[in-house]
Amino acid sequence: MLVSAKEMLQKAKAGHYAVGQFNINNLEWTKSVLLTAQELNSPVILGVSEGAGKYMTGFKTVSAMVKAMIDELNITVPVALHLDHGTYDGCYKCIEAGFSSIMFDGSHYPIEENVEKTKELVAVCKEKGMSLEAEVGSIGGEEDGVIGAGECADPNECKMIADLGVDMLAAGIGNIHGKYPANWQGLSFETLAAVQQLTGEMPLVLHGGTGIPDDMIKKAIDLGVSKINVNTECQLTFAAATREYIEAGKDLQGKGYDPRKLLAPGAEAIKQTVKEKMELFGSVGKA
Ligand code: 13P
């Protein structure tokens, strides 16, 4: 069932758990995430970066594929199709393509401009019944060309954006896209607590879910995080399982070169990663 992320995140907030956003890259990724969510009776958010959207030939293709797959696979758990780190133009493309949720990442604009553009998108999303995520501060590292310095969010700016009526807010709290460096300082729980105090019941979003220790994830959920984004970890497990298959020479045995066989271990590995994350985030059985 394709829905906006609004209700699932409000339920997560009230129930003290988090819904996972798993970024998708192709048909196998999408299928693995959807089947795991259904098997575990968990709500789920499919994240699509602008780069991944382009790779899949455009947001219309992604939207059509996800809707058809939900139907063909009889997926009854709540699924949101969400633009990840959207530009202003990208947001409008996804609204038109039939996504159910978008993130407008205005964090690199001066706060006044971030407020102005976010405000405009709040009105459009409300009219369309879509959910909207905004960002303040930045997520460190790089994801599909989106680069951030990783500065912690200013709680007062978070309040300004939250007050516009967004459905979820990503606040930079020292989190990083991709692998965490050995000298990483950890999440700033001080910033997280201050942001939540000023933004009240706003569901907060933790980007950079790959590689954050389990105890930090749990503490972040305790302090108000209701959505956690995972991308790199599925890529790493997919790559490792595919490597193992090829290194074992299985592609050379019989019809092991058939893409349905070649990509199967990677697709299974994604399922396992998604399952572990859903268990950690507490969303199992919450559909
Ligand atoms: P990771 O790639 O670090 O898991 O981050 C995902 C993310 O935050 C998507 O926006």
Side-chain angles (χ1 to χ4, degrees), residues 21 23 84-85 143 176-178 207-210 229-232:
Q21 171 189 308
N23 284 49
D84 190 27
H85 291 285
E143 182 184 57
I176 296 173
H177 285 133
H207 282 248
T210 299
N229 293 6
V230 178
N231 184 5
T232 306

Side-chain angles (χ1 to χ4, degrees), residues 124-203:
V124 178
C125 286
K126 289 240 181 307
E127 198 204 313
K128 304 257 179 204
M130 297 171 67
S131 46
L132 176 67
E133 174 178 346
E135 177 168 327
V136 178
S138 76
I139 317 301
E142 186 266 346
E143 182 184 57
D144 267 346
V146 179
I147 299 168
E151 70 271 16
C152 281
D154 173 343
N156 291 307
E157 291 185 358
C158 290
K159 181 170 165 46
M160 280 167 79
I161 296 279
D163 286 350
L164 299 173
V166 301
D167 302 290
M168 54 200 130
L169 179 70
I173 56 165
N175 38 340
I176 296 173
H177 285 133
K179 292 181 185 175
Y180 284 81
N183 63 352
W184 180 51
Q185 302 294 302
L187 296 176
S188 170
F189 292 115
E190 204 185 3
T191 308
L192 179 56
V195 168
Q196 188 70 91
Q197 208 201 348
L198 285 185
T199 58
E201 284 306 300
M202 175 61 57

Side-chain angles (χ1 to χ4, degrees), residues 21-23 25 29 143 176-180 208-214 217 228-241 266 268-278 280-281:
Q21 171 189 308
F22 300 94
N23 284 49
N25 290 288
W29 240 262
E143 182 184 57
I176 296 173
H177 285 133
K179 292 181 185 175
Y180 284 81
T210 299
I212 298 178
D214 291 3
I217 293 276
I228 303 178
N229 293 6
V230 178
N231 184 5
T232 306
E233 200 155 327
C234 289
Q235 300 186 5
L236 291 170
T237 50
F238 176 87
E268 282 305 312
I270 293 172
K271 281 189 190 166
Q272 188 54 34
T273 301
V274 171
K275 181 171 190 271
E276 284 165 19
K277 296 296 170 194
M278 286 179 165
L280 175 64
F281 301 165

